[in-house]
Amino acid sequence: MKKIIIIGGGAAGIFGAIRAAELNPDAQIVVLEKSNQLLGKVKISGGGRCNVTHACFVPEELITFYPRGGKELLGAFHQFMPTNTFEWFQQRGVELKTEADNRVFPKSDKSQTIIDCFLNECRKRGVKIITACGVQRILKNENGFQLDTEQGLMNADTVLLATGSSPKMWDILKELHMEIIPPVPSLFTFNINDARIKELPGLSVPNAIVQPENSSVISRGPLLITHWGMSGPAILKCSAWAARELADINYNFSLRVNWTGIPLKEVQTSLKKQRDLEGKKICGTNPQFGIPARLWKSLTEHLSIDQLKWASMSNKQLDQLADELAHALYTVNGKSTFKDEFVTCGGISLHEVNMKTMESKKIPGLFFAGEVLNIDAVTGGFNFQAAWTTSWIAAGNL
């Protein structure tokens, strides 16, 4: 009897086990999970609702949400993409819904719905799950593989690695002479202690632009002011695309923020028109560009112009205000994890993997799926979609 071992009881591992069992009904499918809990990341994702995927149905567009791995995933998404994810869950009785921002969740708004679906499928198809069973070593031999685990030696014909961001597993793979891209955090928030935003936690701006000083990375989107600094999609996208360069400077840098979402020169022109049109109004109580009143007041107070009428403001003062609105610098001193979700960039170099099958180019019979690979995405369901896609392909070739 063919024996397939899947290492990792997370999203990619369990999804792959189900697919492998469907395609190999006479094989023994075994999942090894080092912890006592399966699908822990699924449980907490999306605030406990599980952001299953993203309603983006064009592979060429979908890959633009992946700072690392997008190019390599193009062909993979033509095999299995969000459309297929919808079908897979709906065929198993799980209804999904698409929210206004195109994030996709179970209609129940409960991640447990996804977990129950997976575990029911595993039971139905006879997948054996062993928890508290970490893998210490992987040996390739003429018959397949021998795994040195916390519960003894195990043999397998083929192995699927779906261990997520696992330094231990990357060390094991180095022993097999595989190239590992050193992991660093991705998707994190910025720690900023600045009087201009200190009293404004919870306030958000719908269309900010942020750019680390001396970086080519520019990110646009909603920005949330927090107790510790800045978060929201604009910041998280920035952290993902600039993950390596920010790690290299130990997360200490200057961040340029444009609160208006429009170019500096347009802000300057608009402010001078405002002076001409509404000169009698008080600047500090007359917010522009859709900026929340409390933030506007704080920024104008910072410039000591909050009590001035528009008509009394000089060109120099208007230019200073434009700079504060569209070209201001904030000092970032460190990062914070985004909610309970921890994503890294790094992992198995994609040069090591046949992306058509997810099999190792060096070690036949060894396959990979999910975040163990050097693939990561911005928030919105994209990381899970990469897990489903790579796992689907790998399990189809075990």
Side-chain angles (χ1 to χ4, degrees):
M1 177 187 291
K2 184 177 182 179
K3 186 173 183 180
I4 298 170
I5 290 184
I6 290 119
I7 306 175
I14 297 297
F15 192 74
I18 296 166
R19 165 84 164 149
E22 290 173 339
L23 296 176
N24 302 276
D26 296 326
Q28 182 183 8
I29 313 295
V30 180
V31 176
L32 306 182
E33 167 55 38
K34 67 177 180 178
S35 72
N36 290 311
Q37 182 186 26
L38 296 172
L39 301 164
K41 198 165 186 178
V42 172
K43 182 73 173 177
I44 65 172
S45 74
R49 297 196 296 147
C50 189
N51 187 181
V52 175
T53 186
H54 197 91
C56 178
F57 306 115
V58 180
E60 289 76 10
E61 180 182 347
L62 188 58
I63 64 171
T64 65
F65 295 95
Y66 294 82
R68 284 147 294 269
K71 179 182 177 182
E72 293 84 353
L73 282 171
L74 180 58
F77 284 142
H78 279 287
Q79 293 191 56
F80 192 91
M81 61 178 301
T83 304
N84 306 104
T85 302
F86 269 86
E87 292 172 353
W88 192 93
F89 281 105
Q90 288 172 348
Q91 287 170 1
R92 290 156 180 81
V94 177
E95 292 297 317
L96 303 179
K97 63 175 181 176
T98 303
E99 299 195 339
D101 57 3
N102 285 331
R103 292 184 302 161
V104 178
F105 295 88
K107 279 191 175 179
S108 66
D109 276 331
K110 295 178 180 178
S111 58
Q112 192 62 44
T113 300
I114 304 300
I115 294 171
D116 290 344
C117 171
F118 283 161
L119 297 184
N120 287 338
E121 287 293 315
C122 285
R123 282 191 290 270
K124 185 188 303 182
R125 302 189 183 281
V127 174
K128 183 179 181 180
I129 297 172
I130 305 174
T131 57
C133 188
V135 175
Q136 308 297 328
R137 198 175 183 197
I138 300 173
L139 297 173
K140 172 70 173 172
N141 57 41
E142 60 184 13
N143 297 318
F145 296 88
Q146 184 180 75
L147 308 182
D148 184 0
T149 81
E150 293 174 347
Q151 297 190 27
L153 296 177
M154 299 184 188
N155 296 308
D157 295 290
T158 56
V159 172
L160 169 58
L161 277 181
T163 48
S165 302
S166 170
K168 171 68 175 177
M169 185 52 64
W170 289 325
D171 287 342
I172 291 172
L173 292 172
K174 286 179 184 177
E175 293 178 4
L176 297 173
H177 306 291
M178 296 195 65
E179 181 186 359
I180 306 299
I181 307 300
V184 298
S186 180
L187 290 185
F188 48 85
T189 62
F190 296 166
N191 294 343
I192 300 171
N193 184 12
D194 192 294
R196 289 170 288 180
I197 62 171
K198 190 173 183 179
E199 303 301 324
L200 303 174
L203 185 148
S204 63
V205 172
N207 191 31
I209 302 172
V210 299
Q211 180 179 19
E213 193 78 337
N214 303 316
S215 170
S216 62
V217 174
I218 300 174
S219 177
R220 177 191 291 269
L223 187 155
L224 173 67
I225 297 172
T226 68
H227 288 286
W228 59 87
M230 294 182 186
S231 184
I235 297 296
L236 295 171
K237 284 189 286 185
C238 180
S239 77
W241 289 97
R244 291 212 167 272
E245 59 186 275
L246 297 183
D248 289 343
I249 54 177
N250 200 30
Y251 310 104
N252 290 292
F253 60 97
S254 295
L255 180 72
R256 198 165 290 284
V257 178
N258 181 337
W259 298 103
T260 71
I262 61 177
L264 175 62
K265 287 187 177 180
E266 290 185 25
V267 174
Q268 292 171 331
T269 300
S270 180
L271 290 176
K272 287 168 184 175
K273 286 182 180 178
Q274 180 67 12
R275 179 178 60 185
D276 295 337
L277 294 172
E278 310 231 29
K280 293 182 180 181
K281 290 188 175 181
I282 303 296
C283 175
T285 58
N286 188 219
Q288 303 296 305
F289 310 107
I291 292 176
R294 290 169 59 218
L295 175 60
W296 178 271
K297 186 174 187 297
S298 178
L299 298 180
T300 56
E301 284 179 350
H302 174 70
L303 296 174
S304 301
I305 59 172
D306 56 306
Q307 298 301 317
L308 297 182
K309 292 182 179 180
W310 286 106
S312 66
M313 292 175 64
S314 66
N315 285 340
K316 181 179 179 180
Q317 287 173 314
L318 290 179
D319 286 343
Q320 288 175 336
L321 177 56
D323 278 340
E324 189 62 46
L325 295 171
H327 206 237
L329 283 175
Y330 291 81
T331 300
V332 178
N333 293 301
K335 60 176 178 56
S336 296
T337 302
F338 175 57
K339 297 182 179 178
D340 295 317
E341 300 177 36
F342 185 73
V343 175
T344 62
C345 68
I348 299 165
S349 171
L350 301 186
H351 295 300
E352 298 272 2
V353 183
N354 179 346
M355 295 298 289
K356 293 181 179 180
T357 62
M358 298 300 153
E359 185 175 18
S360 168
K361 292 179 180 178
K362 290 179 180 175
I363 307 169
L366 182 62
F367 295 79
F368 310 102
E371 286 184 38
V372 72
L373 296 160
N374 184 29
I375 294 172
D376 64 286
V378 298
T379 57
F382 302 104
N383 283 298
F384 271 142
Q385 184 57 53
W388 313 141
T389 295
T390 54
S391 185
W392 174 270
I393 296 171
N397 290 281
L398 291 172

